[in-house]
mmCIF file of all heavy atoms in Angstrom:
data_model
loop_
_atom_site.group_PDB
_atom_site.id
_atom_site.type_symbol
_atom_site.label_atom_id
_atom_site.label_comp_id
_atom_site.label_asym_id
_atom_site.label_seq_id
_atom_site.Cartn_x
_atom_site.Cartn_y
_atom_site.Cartn_z
ATOM 1 N N MET W 260 -62.318 232.867 -9.693
ATOM 2 C CA MET W 260 -62.439 231.560 -10.302
ATOM 3 C C MET W 260 -61.227 231.347 -11.199
ATOM 4 O O MET W 260 -60.858 232.227 -11.960
ATOM 5 C CB MET W 260 -63.728 231.467 -11.102
ATOM 6 C CG MET W 260 -63.936 230.095 -11.675
ATOM 7 S SD MET W 260 -65.521 229.758 -12.484
ATOM 8 C CE MET W 260 -66.685 230.737 -11.647
ATOM 9 N N ASN W 261 -60.646 230.164 -11.109
ATOM 10 C CA ASN W 261 -59.494 229.826 -11.929
ATOM 11 C C ASN W 261 -59.980 229.050 -13.155
ATOM 12 O O ASN W 261 -60.193 227.846 -13.087
ATOM 13 C CB ASN W 261 -58.495 229.007 -11.120
ATOM 14 C CG ASN W 261 -57.226 228.733 -11.871
ATOM 15 O OD1 ASN W 261 -57.162 228.847 -13.087
ATOM 16 N ND2 ASN W 261 -56.193 228.363 -11.149
ATOM 17 N N PHE W 262 -60.159 229.758 -14.275
ATOM 18 C CA PHE W 262 -60.700 229.135 -15.477
ATOM 19 C C PHE W 262 -59.733 228.137 -16.105
ATOM 20 O O PHE W 262 -60.142 227.329 -16.938
ATOM 21 C CB PHE W 262 -61.105 230.205 -16.492
ATOM 22 C CG PHE W 262 -62.392 230.887 -16.129
ATOM 23 C CD1 PHE W 262 -62.381 232.107 -15.481
ATOM 24 C CD2 PHE W 262 -63.605 230.297 -16.412
ATOM 25 C CE1 PHE W 262 -63.564 232.742 -15.127
ATOM 26 C CE2 PHE W 262 -64.801 230.912 -16.062
ATOM 27 C CZ PHE W 262 -64.778 232.136 -15.414
ATOM 28 N N GLN W 263 -58.470 228.157 -15.739
ATOM 29 C CA GLN W 263 -57.516 227.177 -16.262
ATOM 30 C C GLN W 263 -57.802 225.784 -15.728
ATOM 31 O O GLN W 263 -57.373 224.797 -16.319
ATOM 32 C CB GLN W 263 -56.089 227.584 -15.921
ATOM 33 C CG GLN W 263 -55.658 228.840 -16.621
ATOM 34 C CD GLN W 263 -54.257 229.260 -16.229
ATOM 35 O OE1 GLN W 263 -53.712 228.792 -15.242
ATOM 36 N NE2 GLN W 263 -53.677 230.136 -17.011
ATOM 37 N N LYS W 264 -58.534 225.683 -14.631
ATOM 38 C CA LYS W 264 -58.856 224.391 -14.027
ATOM 39 C C LYS W 264 -60.257 223.912 -14.381
ATOM 40 O O LYS W 264 -60.698 222.880 -13.898
ATOM 41 C CB LYS W 264 -58.733 224.477 -12.507
ATOM 42 C CG LYS W 264 -57.319 224.717 -12.031
ATOM 43 C CD LYS W 264 -57.275 224.721 -10.521
ATOM 44 C CE LYS W 264 -55.888 224.979 -10.005
ATOM 45 N NZ LYS W 264 -55.856 224.962 -8.528
ATOM 46 N N ILE W 265 -60.969 224.657 -15.229
ATOM 47 C CA ILE W 265 -62.352 224.339 -15.568
ATOM 48 C C ILE W 265 -62.448 224.020 -17.048
ATOM 49 O O ILE W 265 -61.933 224.766 -17.874
ATOM 50 C CB ILE W 265 -63.267 225.526 -15.205
ATOM 51 C CG1 ILE W 265 -63.218 225.750 -13.689
ATOM 52 C CG2 ILE W 265 -64.681 225.292 -15.671
ATOM 53 C CD1 ILE W 265 -63.942 226.983 -13.240
ATOM 54 N N ASP W 266 -63.118 222.915 -17.388
ATOM 55 C CA ASP W 266 -63.227 222.554 -18.803
ATOM 56 C C ASP W 266 -64.195 223.497 -19.529
ATOM 57 O O ASP W 266 -64.942 224.255 -18.915
ATOM 58 C CB ASP W 266 -63.608 221.081 -18.976
ATOM 59 C CG ASP W 266 -65.067 220.777 -18.710
ATOM 60 O OD1 ASP W 266 -65.746 221.570 -18.038
ATOM 61 O OD2 ASP W 266 -65.537 219.718 -19.161
ATOM 62 N N ALA W 267 -64.158 223.453 -20.845
ATOM 63 C CA ALA W 267 -64.930 224.384 -21.670
ATOM 64 C C ALA W 267 -66.435 224.241 -21.465
ATOM 65 O O ALA W 267 -67.152 225.242 -21.407
ATOM 66 C CB ALA W 267 -64.586 224.182 -23.147
ATOM 67 N N SER W 268 -66.939 223.016 -21.334
ATOM 68 C CA SER W 268 -68.383 222.834 -21.171
ATOM 69 C C SER W 268 -68.866 223.378 -19.823
ATOM 70 O O SER W 268 -69.944 223.962 -19.739
ATOM 71 C CB SER W 268 -68.777 221.364 -21.350
ATOM 72 O OG SER W 268 -68.105 220.548 -20.422
ATOM 73 N N LEU W 269 -68.068 223.224 -18.775
ATOM 74 C CA LEU W 269 -68.443 223.777 -17.476
ATOM 75 C C LEU W 269 -68.354 225.300 -17.503
ATOM 76 O O LEU W 269 -69.225 225.989 -16.981
ATOM 77 C CB LEU W 269 -67.560 223.206 -16.365
ATOM 78 C CG LEU W 269 -67.846 223.698 -14.944
ATOM 79 C CD1 LEU W 269 -69.302 223.474 -14.562
ATOM 80 C CD2 LEU W 269 -66.926 223.000 -13.955
ATOM 81 N N SER W 270 -67.349 225.825 -18.149
ATOM 82 C CA SER W 270 -67.206 227.271 -18.284
ATOM 83 C C SER W 270 -68.414 227.862 -19.013
ATOM 84 O O SER W 270 -68.960 228.887 -18.600
ATOM 85 C CB SER W 270 -65.921 227.600 -19.032
ATOM 86 O OG SER W 270 -65.760 228.980 -19.162
ATOM 87 N N ALA W 271 -68.842 227.196 -20.082
ATOM 88 C CA ALA W 271 -70.013 227.665 -20.831
ATOM 89 C C ALA W 271 -71.278 227.581 -19.980
ATOM 90 O O ALA W 271 -72.127 228.477 -20.024
ATOM 91 C CB ALA W 271 -70.175 226.848 -22.105
ATOM 92 N N LEU W 273 -71.467 227.856 -16.791
ATOM 93 C CA LEU W 273 -71.387 228.871 -15.743
ATOM 94 C C LEU W 273 -71.648 230.278 -16.271
ATOM 95 O O LEU W 273 -72.003 231.165 -15.512
ATOM 96 C CB LEU W 273 -70.002 228.840 -15.085
ATOM 97 C CG LEU W 273 -69.718 227.670 -14.161
ATOM 98 C CD1 LEU W 273 -68.224 227.599 -13.855
ATOM 99 C CD2 LEU W 273 -70.530 227.768 -12.898
ATOM 100 N N PHE W 287 -66.917 216.337 -12.241
ATOM 101 C CA PHE W 287 -65.814 215.491 -11.817
ATOM 102 C C PHE W 287 -64.726 216.422 -11.310
ATOM 103 O O PHE W 287 -64.384 217.407 -11.968
ATOM 104 C CB PHE W 287 -65.274 214.640 -12.968
ATOM 105 C CG PHE W 287 -66.229 213.575 -13.406
ATOM 106 C CD1 PHE W 287 -66.961 213.723 -14.565
ATOM 107 C CD2 PHE W 287 -66.389 212.417 -12.654
ATOM 108 C CE1 PHE W 287 -67.849 212.749 -14.977
ATOM 109 C CE2 PHE W 287 -67.279 211.436 -13.050
ATOM 110 C CZ PHE W 287 -68.006 211.597 -14.208
ATOM 111 N N GLN W 289 -60.789 216.508 -10.084
ATOM 112 C CA GLN W 289 -59.520 215.794 -10.031
ATOM 113 C C GLN W 289 -58.562 216.595 -9.166
ATOM 114 O O GLN W 289 -58.378 217.792 -9.368
ATOM 115 C CB GLN W 289 -58.932 215.601 -11.424
ATOM 116 C CG GLN W 289 -57.659 214.788 -11.392
ATOM 117 C CD GLN W 289 -57.076 214.565 -12.772
ATOM 118 O OE1 GLN W 289 -57.441 215.227 -13.735
ATOM 119 N NE2 GLN W 289 -56.163 213.627 -12.863
ATOM 120 N N VAL W 326 -68.067 225.700 -7.327
ATOM 121 C CA VAL W 326 -67.137 225.519 -8.455
ATOM 122 C C VAL W 326 -66.070 226.614 -8.404
ATOM 123 O O VAL W 326 -64.875 226.336 -8.532
ATOM 124 C CB VAL W 326 -67.872 225.556 -9.818
ATOM 125 C CG1 VAL W 326 -66.878 225.601 -10.968
ATOM 126 C CG2 VAL W 326 -68.788 224.355 -9.965
ATOM 127 N N ALA W 327 -66.508 227.848 -8.203
ATOM 128 C CA ALA W 327 -65.568 228.976 -8.159
ATOM 129 C C ALA W 327 -64.565 228.811 -7.022
ATOM 130 O O ALA W 327 -63.359 229.004 -7.213
ATOM 131 C CB ALA W 327 -66.334 230.286 -8.009
ATOM 132 N N ILE W 329 -63.744 225.981 -5.311
ATOM 133 C CA ILE W 329 -62.924 224.775 -5.458
ATOM 134 C C ILE W 329 -61.835 224.987 -6.496
ATOM 135 O O ILE W 329 -60.709 224.518 -6.339
ATOM 136 C CB ILE W 329 -63.815 223.561 -5.798
ATOM 137 C CG1 ILE W 329 -64.683 223.197 -4.587
ATOM 138 C CG2 ILE W 329 -62.979 222.362 -6.237
ATOM 139 C CD1 ILE W 329 -65.781 222.202 -4.887
ATOM 140 N N SER W 330 -62.143 225.721 -7.553
ATOM 141 C CA SER W 330 -61.146 225.946 -8.612
ATOM 142 C C SER W 330 -59.940 226.726 -8.102
ATOM 143 O O SER W 330 -58.870 226.672 -8.706
ATOM 144 C CB SER W 330 -61.769 226.660 -9.806
ATOM 145 O OG SER W 330 -62.055 228.013 -9.497
ATOM 146 N N GLU W 331 -60.082 227.436 -7.016
ATOM 147 C CA GLU W 331 -58.986 228.228 -6.444
ATOM 148 C C GLU W 331 -58.076 227.427 -5.515
ATOM 149 O O GLU W 331 -57.015 227.899 -5.129
ATOM 150 C CB GLU W 331 -59.546 229.432 -5.691
ATOM 151 C CG GLU W 331 -60.258 230.436 -6.573
ATOM 152 C CD GLU W 331 -59.335 231.141 -7.554
ATOM 153 O OE1 GLU W 331 -58.120 231.235 -7.293
ATOM 154 O OE2 GLU W 331 -59.830 231.593 -8.599
ATOM 155 N N LYS W 332 -58.483 226.208 -5.160
ATOM 156 C CA LYS W 332 -57.674 225.391 -4.252
ATOM 157 C C LYS W 332 -56.417 224.922 -4.980
ATOM 158 O O LYS W 332 -56.498 224.407 -6.096
ATOM 159 C CB LYS W 332 -58.459 224.176 -3.747
ATOM 160 C CG LYS W 332 -59.773 224.516 -3.066
ATOM 161 C CD LYS W 332 -59.543 225.252 -1.785
ATOM 162 C CE LYS W 332 -60.875 225.549 -1.104
ATOM 163 N NZ LYS W 332 -60.738 226.453 0.008
ATOM 164 N N PRO W 333 -55.234 225.067 -4.381
ATOM 165 C CA PRO W 333 -53.988 224.680 -5.058
ATOM 166 C C PRO W 333 -53.867 223.172 -5.293
ATOM 167 O O PRO W 333 -53.163 222.756 -6.204
ATOM 168 C CB PRO W 333 -52.890 225.184 -4.112
ATOM 169 C CG PRO W 333 -53.560 225.336 -2.797
ATOM 170 C CD PRO W 333 -55.000 225.648 -3.068
ATOM 171 N N VAL W 335 -56.363 221.235 -6.243
ATOM 172 C CA VAL W 335 -57.330 220.813 -7.262
ATOM 173 C C VAL W 335 -56.686 220.985 -8.624
ATOM 174 O O VAL W 335 -56.177 222.053 -8.957
ATOM 175 C CB VAL W 335 -58.642 221.623 -7.164
ATOM 176 C CG1 VAL W 335 -59.541 221.349 -8.358
ATOM 177 C CG2 VAL W 335 -59.364 221.296 -5.867
ATOM 178 N N ARG W 336 -56.681 219.914 -9.403
ATOM 179 C CA ARG W 336 -56.060 219.937 -10.728
ATOM 180 C C ARG W 336 -57.044 220.364 -11.805
ATOM 181 O O ARG W 336 -56.725 221.159 -12.681
ATOM 182 C CB ARG W 336 -55.498 218.551 -11.047
ATOM 183 C CG ARG W 336 -54.799 218.490 -12.394
ATOM 184 C CD ARG W 336 -54.129 217.170 -12.609
ATOM 185 N NE ARG W 336 -52.948 217.140 -11.733
ATOM 186 C CZ ARG W 336 -52.380 216.031 -11.292
ATOM 187 N NH1 ARG W 336 -52.865 214.866 -11.623
ATOM 188 N NH2 ARG W 336 -51.321 216.093 -10.520
ATOM 189 N N PHE W 337 -58.288 219.828 -11.778
ATOM 190 C CA PHE W 337 -59.220 220.064 -12.877
ATOM 191 C C PHE W 337 -60.649 219.796 -12.414
ATOM 192 O O PHE W 337 -60.881 218.921 -11.580
ATOM 193 C CB PHE W 337 -58.868 219.137 -14.044
ATOM 194 C CG PHE W 337 -59.428 219.553 -15.361
ATOM 195 C CD1 PHE W 337 -58.992 220.703 -15.982
ATOM 196 C CD2 PHE W 337 -60.396 218.797 -15.996
ATOM 197 C CE1 PHE W 337 -59.511 221.100 -17.211
ATOM 198 C CE2 PHE W 337 -60.914 219.174 -17.224
ATOM 199 C CZ PHE W 337 -60.471 220.323 -17.830
ATOM 200 N N ILE W 338 -61.601 220.540 -12.966
ATOM 201 C CA ILE W 338 -63.029 220.321 -12.716
ATOM 202 C C ILE W 338 -63.709 220.253 -14.077
ATOM 203 O O ILE W 338 -63.553 221.158 -14.899
ATOM 204 C CB ILE W 338 -63.656 221.458 -11.893
ATOM 205 C CG1 ILE W 338 -62.866 221.684 -10.601
ATOM 206 C CG2 ILE W 338 -65.117 221.153 -11.582
ATOM 207 C CD1 ILE W 338 -63.277 222.937 -9.848
ATOM 208 N N SER W 339 -64.454 219.182 -14.308
ATOM 209 C CA SER W 339 -65.139 219.053 -15.603
ATOM 210 C C SER W 339 -66.614 218.721 -15.387
ATOM 211 O O SER W 339 -66.989 218.062 -14.426
ATOM 212 C CB SER W 339 -64.476 217.975 -16.470
ATOM 213 O OG SER W 339 -64.532 216.729 -15.838
ATOM 214 N N LEU W 340 -67.424 219.206 -16.295
ATOM 215 C CA LEU W 340 -68.857 218.976 -16.240
ATOM 216 C C LEU W 340 -69.165 217.552 -16.673
ATOM 217 O O LEU W 340 -68.620 217.062 -17.668
ATOM 218 C CB LEU W 340 -69.574 219.970 -17.167
ATOM 219 C CG LEU W 340 -71.086 219.982 -17.136
ATOM 220 C CD1 LEU W 340 -71.602 220.414 -15.764
ATOM 221 C CD2 LEU W 340 -71.612 220.926 -18.208
#
Side-chain angles (χ1 to χ4, degrees):
M260 184 173 329
N261 185 342
F262 284 98
Q263 293 178 344
K264 294 183 181 181
I265 297 173
D266 76 340
S268 59
L269 180 55
S270 180
L273 287 167
F287 291 104
Q289 183 179 15
V326 171
I329 291 169
S330 71
E331 295 294 335
K332 304 293 181 190
V335 170
R336 182 174 287 156
F337 199 67
I338 306 170
S339 61
L340 186 64

